[in-house]
């Protein structure tokens, strides 16, 4: 049975016992105690509260959230903690708020202070990759929400201390966890005793775009909506919806391993030629296919205002084609899975140039001038590309959306717990995703491919990249009794080959057996 917690408030708790796996609880209690002590040392008093939001690992549904297709992530234990002490003046008016931002990792993240005009917002320079931009992004999103309720709202000053153990650039959504925790902290500091999960996610999705990323929404949803012990189904059309999907009680149990490649790929830095480029390519694929079919794309919640899911809606809405002669459009009664199969089959016909399209070719196909094309699709989030591989990107999106359906159906099959082929079938879908990410979406890298290959050879059911790609982490569905064998294979064939002097501590951090974690809390 699925469970939706979207409209519930973010939980407020006095105990962290339910937030972490039992094996990690002792070290996490020490971490929280150190955070409080460090806050007292820096600011001369205890924090009023701590906002917490976790990272995530995506089981399946890679790079399709910004095309508004369903994904299946889960929260992990690694998280971002923000200890907060707001000013005590609730009636602070016509006075600049001061944000004092410190990080427990002083060596890497310098202290910063920012003045915010009483009716203004925190200044973000998206051209500079500064850690405080993420807090400011969450801050601005939160005060924007509060000003919709009170146009004259003035934010309070805040002292904050941030501690995060989600690896940056590791594909586990450290940035989304940071922005979600920041927005939650600001809302709470400014008098919001109850923060609805859905409003937090929606403002965090928009907020992260302020630091230069066309975020789709999966990462923020997983960080806030997740329920401990379950996967999370997140859909984006016709509106944001999330529901917990329990894992079947199988024997052997479903076991997830996450392995770092130690290849850092920060999508906020590499966005113009990687992540943001893929968003633009998918948007252009939707526009070019719509033009060829003679259907009108309606604006939707895609990062650039339209999406491949919107194209599917337009094709199957029962309307007529504007082409002369008209193109035969889809029947609205067509089952969803068949709709996706139809869209996938049309890609090769409508976007037949496997070598991609130049800007000039795309502009001509859309009856636009080159400056119009660049202004509409490549200005808000600049991209670097000579040819745009729109056909390959659309093919990945539609095929991956079909794999999500298959994966979810397997998890929800009432006979799944007794099906001896369940885990191999789930693993096969994950392997197909990795093949598509490597060959069609081109967001993998040799190190990720090697980790996946080693894991499969050592007995994993399924292995693939997770997160934006181009480095970061891999996720693996494995037999419980093979965990140690797979870990040893990675040590021997990857970690100690790429870095022979790698410390025991780094080796230990490289691989975790992950349990589905709890979402954001205060």
């Amino acid at each position: 049975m699925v469970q939706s917690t979207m409209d519930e408030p973010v939980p407020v708790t006095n105990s962290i016992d339910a937030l972490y796996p039992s094996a990690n609880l002792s070290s996490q209690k020490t971490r929280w105690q150190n955070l409080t002590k460090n806050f007292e040392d820096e600011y001369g008093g205890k924090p009023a509260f701590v906002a917490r939001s976790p990272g995530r690992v995506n089981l399946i549904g890679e790079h399709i959230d910004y095309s508004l297709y369903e994904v299946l992530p889960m929260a992990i234990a690694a998280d971002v903690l923000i200890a907060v002490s707001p000013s005590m003046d609730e009636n602070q008016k016509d006075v600049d708020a001061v944000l004092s931002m410190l990080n427990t990792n002083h060596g890497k993240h310098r202290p910063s202070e920012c003045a915010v005009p009483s009716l203004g917002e925190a200044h973000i320079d998206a051209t500079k990759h500064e850690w405080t931009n993420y807090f400011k992004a969450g801050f601005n999103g939160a005060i924007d929400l509060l000003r919709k309720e009170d146009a004259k709202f003035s934010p309070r000053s805040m002292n904050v201390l941030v501690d995060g153990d989600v690896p940056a650039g590791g594909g586990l959504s450290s940035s989304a966890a940071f922005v979600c925790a920041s927005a939650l902290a600001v809302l709470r500091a400014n008098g919001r005793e109850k923060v609805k999960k859905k409003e937090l996610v929606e403002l965090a999705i928009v907020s992260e775009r302020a630091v230069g990323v066309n975020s789709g929404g999966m990462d923020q949803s997983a960080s806030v909506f997740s329920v401990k012990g379950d996967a999370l189904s997140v859909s984006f059309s016709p509106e944001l919806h999330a529901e917990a999907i329990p894992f079947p009680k199988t024997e052997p149990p479903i076991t997830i391993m996450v392995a770092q490649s130690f290849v850092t790929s920060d999508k906020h830095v590499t966005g113009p030629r990687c992540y943001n480029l893929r968003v633009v390519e998918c948007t252009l694929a939707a526009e070019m296919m719509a033009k060829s079919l003679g259907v009108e794309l309606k604006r939707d919640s895609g990062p650039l205002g339209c999406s491949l899911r919107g194209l599917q809606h337009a094709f199957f809405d029962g309307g007529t084609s504007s082409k002369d002669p008209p193109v035969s459009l889809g029947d609205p009664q067509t089952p969803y899975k068949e709709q996706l199969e139809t869209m996938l089959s049309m890609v090769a016909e409508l976007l037949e140039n496997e070598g991609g399209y130049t800007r000039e070719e795309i502009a001509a196909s859309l009856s636009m001038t080159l400056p119009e094309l660049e202004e509409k699709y490549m200005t808000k989030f600049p991209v670097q590309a000579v040819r745009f591989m729109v056909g390959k990107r659309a093919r990945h999106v539609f095929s991956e959306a079909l794999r999500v359906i298959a994966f979810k159906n397997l998890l929800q099959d009432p006979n799944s717990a007794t099906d001896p082929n369940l885990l191999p079938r789930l693993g096969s879908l994950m392997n197909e995703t990795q093949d598509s990410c490597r060959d069609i979406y081109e967001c993998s890298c040799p190190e990720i491919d090697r980790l996946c290959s080693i894991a499969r050879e050592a007995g994993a059911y399924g292995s693939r990249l997770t997160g934006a790609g181009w480095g970061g982490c891999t996720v693996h569905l494995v037999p419980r009794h093979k965990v140690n064998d797979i870990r040893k294979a990675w040590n021997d064939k990857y970690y100690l080959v790429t870095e022979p002097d790698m410390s025991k501590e780094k080796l230990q951090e490289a691989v975790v057996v992950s349990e589905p974690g709890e979402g954001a809390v205060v």
Side-chain angles (χ1 to χ4, degrees):
M1 180 178 180
V2 297
Q3 175 188 3
S4 178
T5 62
M6 291 181 59
D7 293 324
E8 295 178 0
V10 173
V12 177
T13 181
N14 293 318
S15 170
I16 69 168
D17 290 2
L19 301 181
Y20 303 101
S22 56
N24 299 4
L25 192 54
S26 177
S27 62
Q28 287 294 342
K29 285 184 175 179
T30 300
R31 177 179 168 227
W32 281 66
Q33 290 166 357
N34 289 340
L35 178 67
T36 299
K37 182 181 183 303
N38 289 339
F39 189 96
E40 289 185 81
D41 291 343
E42 295 287 355
Y43 292 117
K46 292 183 178 180
F49 62 88
V50 175
R52 179 250 183 198
S53 205
R56 66 95 189 97
V57 63
N58 190 23
L59 298 174
I60 198 161
E62 208 58 73
H63 278 282
I64 63 174
D65 58 331
Y66 49 80
S67 290
L68 305 189
Y69 283 104
E70 184 178 11
V71 293
L72 282 174
M74 68 181 201
I76 57 176
D79 55 19
V80 172
L81 308 178
I82 303 182
V84 180
S85 176
S87 67
M88 293 298 102
D89 183 5
E90 297 185 17
N91 300 309
Q92 179 177 318
K93 300 290 184 182
D94 302 321
V95 177
D96 287 0
V98 178
L99 306 179
S100 177
M101 297 165 285
L102 302 179
N103 196 296
T104 55
N105 188 347
H106 292 292
K108 185 175 181 181
H109 303 303
R110 293 183 300 173
S112 181
E113 191 168 280
C114 172
V116 181
S118 61
L119 295 178
E121 63 179 19
H123 173 69
I124 296 174
D125 184 351
T127 65
K128 295 181 179 179
H129 187 59
E130 297 179 345
W131 74 273
T132 52
N133 282 354
Y134 301 101
F135 184 82
K136 293 176 184 177
F139 177 91
N140 289 344
I143 63 171
D144 182 61
L145 175 65
L146 294 170
R147 284 188 180 133
K148 289 176 181 176
E149 300 167 356
D150 175 5
K152 295 183 179 180
F153 167 80
S154 295
R156 296 190 198 179
S157 295
M158 298 171 61
N159 293 330
V160 302
L161 178 61
V162 178
D163 182 272
D165 62 1
V166 187
L172 301 178
S173 297
S174 59
S175 59
F178 196 172
V179 172
C180 287
S182 300
L184 177 58
V186 174
L187 289 170
R188 181 82 177 181
N190 284 279
R192 263 297 188 94
E193 293 297 319
K194 291 185 178 181
V195 178
K196 286 188 177 180
K197 293 181 178 181
K198 185 176 181 181
E199 69 179 0
L200 176 60
V201 168
E202 289 175 339
L203 77 85
I205 291 171
V206 176
S207 296
E208 192 171 345
R209 293 173 185 167
V211 289
V213 173
N214 271 325
S215 175
M218 171 184 67
D219 301 343
Q220 297 83 0
S221 297
S223 191
V224 176
F225 292 135
S226 286
V227 176
K228 189 176 181 181
D230 295 340
L232 188 74
S233 168
V234 185
S235 54
F236 306 92
S237 180
E239 62 179 7
L240 179 67
H241 181 75
E243 57 189 28
I245 307 290
F247 284 111
K249 305 300 181 185
T250 60
E251 189 54 50
I254 290 178
T255 303
I256 304 293
M257 297 182 77
V258 179
Q260 291 195 54
S261 68
F262 291 120
V263 176
T264 300
S265 178
D266 195 310
K267 61 186 180 184
H268 301 80
V269 175
T270 63
R273 61 184 183 276
C274 296
Y275 187 90
N276 288 346
L277 176 59
R278 294 299 182 273
V279 175
V280 171
E281 287 175 319
C282 289
T283 306
L284 291 174
E287 293 277 23
M288 293 171 71
M289 290 179 71
K291 187 76 171 179
S292 296
L293 293 167
V295 298
E296 182 180 353
L297 284 183
K298 296 179 180 178
R299 287 193 63 81
D300 58 28
S301 58
L304 292 174
C306 65
S307 65
L308 286 167
R309 181 66 184 273
L311 171 69
Q312 181 182 331
H313 282 312
F315 185 77
F316 284 98
D317 75 348
T320 57
S321 168
S322 63
K323 299 289 285 186
D324 187 15
V327 176
S328 177
L329 300 185
D331 181 351
Q333 302 305 313
T334 305
Y336 177 69
K337 180 172 178 288
E338 290 182 27
Q339 290 187 20
L340 274 170
E341 290 168 342
T342 299
M343 301 309 296
L344 178 59
S345 70
M346 290 193 299
V347 173
E349 175 188 351
L350 301 179
L351 302 172
E352 76 282 359
N353 192 343
E354 280 290 305
Y357 297 82
T358 65
R359 297 174 190 230
E360 291 79 8
E361 289 169 335
I362 295 170
S365 74
L366 297 178
S367 303
M368 304 173 74
T369 65
L370 184 57
E372 287 172 339
L373 177 80
E374 293 178 336
E375 173 66 26
K376 185 173 182 179
Y377 301 106
M378 305 171 196
T379 300
K380 185 178 181 182
F381 299 97
V383 296
Q384 300 169 4
V386 175
R387 305 189 73 85
F388 294 76
M389 313 301 289
V390 291
K392 296 177 75 172
R393 309 315 180 219
R395 186 147 49 97
H396 166 82
V397 169
F398 292 131
S399 62
E400 182 72 350
L402 285 165
R403 283 187 285 273
V404 171
I405 294 173
F407 199 97
K408 184 177 177 180
N409 287 343
L410 285 171
L411 291 181
Q412 294 183 307
D413 186 330
N415 299 315
S416 60
T418 58
D419 180 0
N421 295 315
L422 173 66
L423 300 184
R425 290 168 71 188
L426 292 172
S428 179
L429 291 167
M430 294 173 68
N431 290 337
E432 289 175 19
T433 293
Q434 174 59 21
D435 292 345
S436 184
C437 285
R438 182 189 64 230
D439 300 330
I440 301 175
Y441 215 70
E442 298 174 293
C443 61
S444 189
C445 66
E447 294 84 357
I448 291 289
D449 299 339
R450 184 67 183 137
L451 282 169
C452 291
S453 175
I454 292 169
R456 292 175 194 172
E457 291 169 0
Y461 295 119
S463 301
R464 63 177 211 75
L465 66 83
T466 186
W470 299 284
C473 284
T474 54
V475 59
H476 310 264
L477 179 66
V478 307
R480 176 76 51 96
H481 68 279
K482 288 285 188 178
V483 166
N484 290 335
D485 291 344
I486 294 170
R487 186 190 292 271
K488 184 177 187 304
W490 280 329
N491 288 349
D492 293 344
K493 299 179 181 180
Y494 181 78
Y495 293 118
L496 294 177
V497 171
T498 58
E499 190 178 333
D501 297 327
M502 186 175 291
S503 67
K504 290 183 178 179
E505 292 77 12
K506 189 173 180 179
L507 274 175
Q508 192 65 32
E509 294 171 359
V511 179
V512 296
V513 179
S514 185
E515 299 177 14
E518 184 68 31
V521 301
V522 175

